[in-house]
Amino acid sequence: MTLLSVRNIASFYGASQALFDVSLEAREGEVVALMGRNGMGKTTTIRAICRLTPPQAGEIHFAGRKTDRMRPHQIARLGVGLVPEGRRCFPNLTVEENIKAAARSGRWTLQAVNTLFPRLADRRNQLAATLSGGEQQMLAIARALATNPKLIILDEATEGLAPVIRQDIWAAVKTLKGEGQSILIVDKTLSELLPVADHCVVLEKGRSVWTGSPDALDADVQERYLGV
Ligand code: ATP
């Protein structure tokens, strides 16, 4: 069943157009990789889905509802859990307080996210500000999960993180996938991203130009659109 459908959206920052024609679909239980070189519109597409940057044209449906005119908190309540680029936890709350502030009932209890990320359990009473970048990313994922979202969106899931932590995060993504969690993910490490993806959508200059399975994303496509 289709969970998210983005159809022909356009988006602007002031007078400057960032998205011209982006379409994508995510089905329940699927991992969709949103790809493209720097500046091609991945973050803006995610912001449009969450309506942090409202789309000016096109339609977005999520969980059977038309969401492109809804407020961001309504979209979150419908079940979109965003892990934004650059994280953004509450620095002056502890790890546990950050998670509890987001929590809604469901499978992802405080205990369940602590099992997924034991490092967070060890640091439960530490202020978020004192965590490493990688731990903050774990916390951002834990917080999004604690809302028990139908779809979790990870923008630059592992960018700039230490290798050990990246592995922990990929392991968590695999666990989530194994549980049938729907995921929309952006990440530059294709060797990690492609094996977990069910479906890829490639953006070029604000347009979705290629979509297909990771197996079909051959060297030609990679060279053309991803600069690999
Ligand atoms: P990256 O991998 O660098 O994050 P991206 O694919 O996520 O790239 P976006 O961040 O969505 O791309 O940017 C799409 C276009 O919109 C780019 O041309 C970018 O310069 C522009 N843009 C992004 N944010 C803003 C902003 N706040 N104001 C003006 N233009 C912006």
Side-chain angles (χ1 to χ4, degrees):
M1 203 184 104
T2 300
L3 181 60
L4 171 71
S5 155
V6 173
R7 265 182 248 143
N8 309 112
I9 58 164
S11 237
F12 293 74
Y13 292 103
S16 148
Q17 189 162 5
L19 301 184
F20 291 84
D21 187 3
V22 172
S23 297
L24 67 89
E25 288 221 344
R27 284 141 54 103
E28 250 169 47
E30 221 179 34
V31 178
V32 176
L34 183 58
M35 308 172 77
R37 289 189 299 263
N38 287 349
M40 292 302 166
K42 302 178 296 293
T43 297
T44 309
T45 299
I46 288 170
R47 291 181 60 86
I49 292 167
C50 301
R51 210 172 179 276
L52 297 168
T53 301
Q56 308 284 310
E59 286 194 2
I60 302 178
H61 288 83
F62 178 76
R65 304 276 300 275
K66 191 171 180 322
T67 55
D68 46 79
R69 298 283 172 84
M70 287 185 182
R71 309 284 297 276
H73 72 270
Q74 295 174 307
I75 295 171
R77 204 175 300 143
L78 267 184
V80 176
L82 173 63
V83 182
E85 205 176 0
R87 313 181 260 281
R88 307 191 198 290
C89 303
F90 298 117
N92 297 322
L93 296 186
T94 65
V95 166
E96 192 164 300
E97 286 165 350
N98 262 280
I99 297 169
K100 281 183 171 165
R104 281 165 46 192
S105 64
R107 186 249 179 271
W108 291 104
T109 59
L110 180 63
Q111 196 185 348
V113 297
N114 279 336
T115 306
L116 185 68
F117 293 121
R119 286 175 85 106
L120 292 183
D122 295 343
R123 288 163 178 69
R124 63 168 67 89
N125 296 318
Q126 237 173 275
L127 294 183
T130 67
L131 299 178
S132 73
E135 289 160 358
Q136 287 189 28
Q137 178 69 341
M138 287 179 180
L139 180 54
I141 297 172
R143 270 169 45 104
L145 277 179
T147 68
N148 283 287
K150 294 190 176 78
L151 175 72
I152 187 167
I153 302 181
L154 303 165
D155 192 1
E156 298 292 0
T158 67
E159 189 174 45
L161 306 183
V164 178
I165 299 253
R166 295 165 78 112
Q167 289 320 308
D168 288 348
I169 288 175
W170 286 115
V173 170
K174 284 175 200 152
T175 300
L176 295 176
K177 177 184 165 88
E179 294 200 5
Q181 171 72 50
S182 310
I183 304 173
L184 178 64
I185 182 168
V186 172
D187 199 276
K188 293 199 172 70
T189 320
L190 297 190
S191 58
E192 300 282 1
L193 179 61
L194 292 179
V196 298
D198 295 304
H199 199 75
C200 303
V201 177
V202 178
L203 302 187
E204 167 134 292
K205 297 185 183 153
R207 292 185 163 82
S208 41
V209 291
W210 190 92
T211 173
S213 79
D215 299 338
L217 196 85
D218 58 20
D220 274 0
V221 179
Q222 292 194 25
E223 194 181 341
R224 188 149 155 213
Y225 297 123
L226 305 173
V228 177

